[in-house]
Amino acid sequence: MNEPAAVHAALREQRIETPSWAYANSGTRFKVFTQPGVPRSPQEKIADAAVVHRLTGAAPSVALHIPWDRVDDYGTLAAYATDLGVALGTINANVFQDDDYKLGSVTNPDPRVRRKAIDHLLECVDIMDATGSRDLKLWFSDGMNYPGQDNIRARQDRLAEALRETYDRLGEDQRLILEYKLFEPAFYTTDVPDWGTSYAHCLELGPRAQVCIDTGHHAPGTNIEFIVAFLLRAGKLGAFDFNSRFYADDDLMVGAADPFQLFRILHEIVQGGALDPAMGIAFMLDQCHNIETKIPAIIRSVMNVQEATAKALLVDVAALESAQRSGDVLGANAVLMDAYNTDVRPLLARLRENSGLEPDPIAAYHRSGYQQQIERERVGGRQAGWGA
């Protein structure tokens, strides 16, 4: 088992990016439930993210979504974030909310539509230059609903061409992060349906193209920790979008549906040495808080990741490797289960206190009065939410 000092040191280095859209109104295809006090601007989203970081000490950056977070001056927005104690992180492109993209964006059979989509991706790189962001995250809803609708291979060629043009525009310290999703809204074929497709395109592009694993984007029963281990071994794991799923891409709070799965994923991360920020893995929440209050839900999600990480750090590696070498199946499994069943909440409370933070971030938030303040102040105007 790792020494407590080593566990504390690793946890102090952990960074979990929060997404701007999680602070805003969100919902399903059927209904967006509004809440009092949600942000009306990118600045107010950043202000909420800064509160989460102040209380957890583990969420120092906030991802932006373009055009949902479009402003006239991104340099000024980055300076505003810095003044609040956070940084602007991943820039997420949006090529799925325009009527032109009904038949796809970068894989659309119409060259005019493809040009429009690629220009948006290049615009996002321009924004990265202004914000100092390292990562451009791409997710495409492109695909088909019916057999014969389009040429599957030609769509892959179009995708490759768009990715190449975007990749070549990146600066030396910038990365392209390619996400994947099994289905929706393309139900017959999706152009980037799985980690293998993403991996193949990233391999072709070069070293600064990496795969993003969204924990809700897989077929039922998929062993996500295997994907983690494979991509770590290949040097192609660039990012996580953490959330939970019961059925499909539910985007519920990370660790809510299967906390043991989250532990198994973090175990592979710890075993692979990928918790070290120098490894470059971007850990981000990608969640829609449809019925729960936004900021406490995000704080709780950060804490869920911290708890799973702490348990992964407590795995007795020597005992595990010994059991594995000797073929002791039950013994090896017991080592993992012992770590998973450890109550790490006191450990994390002490870590926060030693870092000058409140031991219980949720309770601290409720005592702060911030929720009541934003509900009073953010009245009127158009709320900036999912689908805005």
Side-chain angles (χ1 to χ4, degrees):
M1 182 178 296
N2 286 324
E3 294 297 322
V7 173
H8 277 228
L11 289 169
R12 275 194 294 269
E13 291 296 312
Q14 187 172 35
R15 299 291 180 262
I16 303 162
E17 188 163 278
T18 66
S20 67
W21 55 94
Y23 296 95
N25 283 325
S26 61
T28 68
R29 290 173 292 169
F30 305 103
K31 171 65 178 174
V32 173
F33 298 102
T34 59
Q35 293 188 20
V38 298
R40 300 163 297 177
S41 67
Q43 290 81 359
E44 290 180 348
K45 294 176 185 177
I46 293 169
D48 290 354
V51 170
V52 171
H53 180 50
R54 283 199 299 271
L55 293 174
T56 64
S61 62
V62 54
L64 299 185
H65 205 295
I66 309 300
W68 299 348
D69 296 317
R70 181 168 280 148
V71 294
D72 293 331
D73 189 329
Y74 291 97
T76 298
L77 188 68
Y80 173 79
T82 299
D83 289 343
L84 292 181
V86 292
L88 300 184
T90 304
I91 302 299
N92 293 259
N94 182 322
V95 284
F96 54 86
Q97 282 190 310
D98 189 302
D99 285 346
D100 275 344
Y101 300 143
K102 180 171 64 174
L103 300 180
S105 61
V106 297
T107 66
N108 197 295
D110 185 340
R112 179 193 65 81
V113 175
R114 295 201 301 274
R115 185 69 257 163
K116 175 179 177 178
I118 295 170
D119 285 345
H120 172 67
L121 305 187
L122 299 178
E123 175 200 9
C124 287
V125 182
D126 292 339
I127 293 170
M128 294 167 65
D129 292 341
T131 61
S133 299
R134 179 189 64 177
D135 292 341
L136 170 67
K137 187 182 294 175
L138 305 181
W139 172 73
F140 301 104
S141 65
D142 296 30
M144 294 180 284
N145 280 354
Y146 297 99
Q149 178 182 324
D150 200 357
N151 185 306
I152 295 175
R153 181 170 175 173
R155 293 178 74 89
Q156 288 298 309
D157 289 339
R158 298 168 199 154
L159 172 63
E161 291 170 4
L163 293 175
R164 171 55 62 189
E165 183 173 348
T166 306
Y167 183 86
D168 289 345
R169 167 62 184 84
L170 295 174
E172 290 185 2
D173 297 323
Q174 294 172 337
R175 307 190 305 176
L176 183 154
I177 306 295
L178 183 57
E179 193 175 348
Y180 56 88
K181 186 176 180 181
L182 182 65
F183 76 101
E184 191 196 36
F187 295 104
Y188 168 60
T189 63
T190 303
D191 291 330
V192 190
D194 52 38
W195 68 273
T197 307
S198 177
Y199 172 70
H201 280 285
C202 289
L203 198 62
E204 183 178 323
L205 288 170
R208 288 177 291 113
Q210 302 274 300
V211 179
C212 173
I213 296 176
D214 185 304
T215 51
H217 283 187
H218 306 88
T222 298
N223 188 315
I224 299 175
E225 56 268 32
F226 169 82
I227 304 170
V228 173
F230 183 97
L231 292 175
L232 278 176
R233 180 178 179 273
K236 279 296 184 182
L237 179 56
F240 278 96
D241 279 3
F242 280 127
N243 51 56
S244 277
R245 53 160 290 173
F246 285 99
Y247 300 104
D249 182 25
D250 305 334
D251 276 352
L252 299 174
M253 289 172 53
V254 59
D258 188 351
F260 185 50
Q261 180 192 69
L262 180 61
F263 161 76
R264 299 193 311 265
I265 290 170
L266 266 301
H267 170 64
E268 294 300 330
I269 289 293
V270 170
Q271 290 294 98
L275 199 62
D276 184 346
M279 287 286 288
I281 310 297
F283 299 96
M284 193 193 81
L285 305 178
D286 183 14
Q287 303 175 170
C288 288
H289 304 287
N290 300 336
I291 59 175
E292 65 269 32
T293 308
K294 311 293 182 177
I295 298 175
I298 296 171
I299 293 172
R300 179 68 258 178
S301 298
V302 171
M303 295 170 67
N304 286 351
V305 177
Q306 288 180 309
E307 289 172 13
T309 305
K311 292 180 179 185
L313 288 164
L314 291 176
V315 171
D316 190 332
V317 176
L320 180 63
E321 291 178 348
S322 176
Q324 290 171 342
R325 284 193 302 268
S326 65
D328 184 357
V329 176
L330 293 179
N333 178 253
V335 173
L336 282 186
M337 296 309 299
D338 285 345
Y340 175 69
N341 288 320
T342 302
D343 184 358
V344 296
R345 291 174 297 178
L347 181 156
L348 286 163
R350 290 193 299 273
L351 174 66
R352 295 185 187 107
E353 287 183 308
N354 292 340
S355 301
L357 303 172
E358 292 287 338
D360 184 344
I362 294 288
Y365 178 73
H366 289 312
R367 289 196 304 270
S368 72
Y370 186 78
Q371 186 67 39
Q372 292 75 21
Q373 174 189 334
I374 60 177
E375 289 184 12
R376 288 193 307 270
E377 294 178 352
R378 297 176 183 175
V379 177
R382 182 179 180 183
Q383 295 173 320
W386 177 83

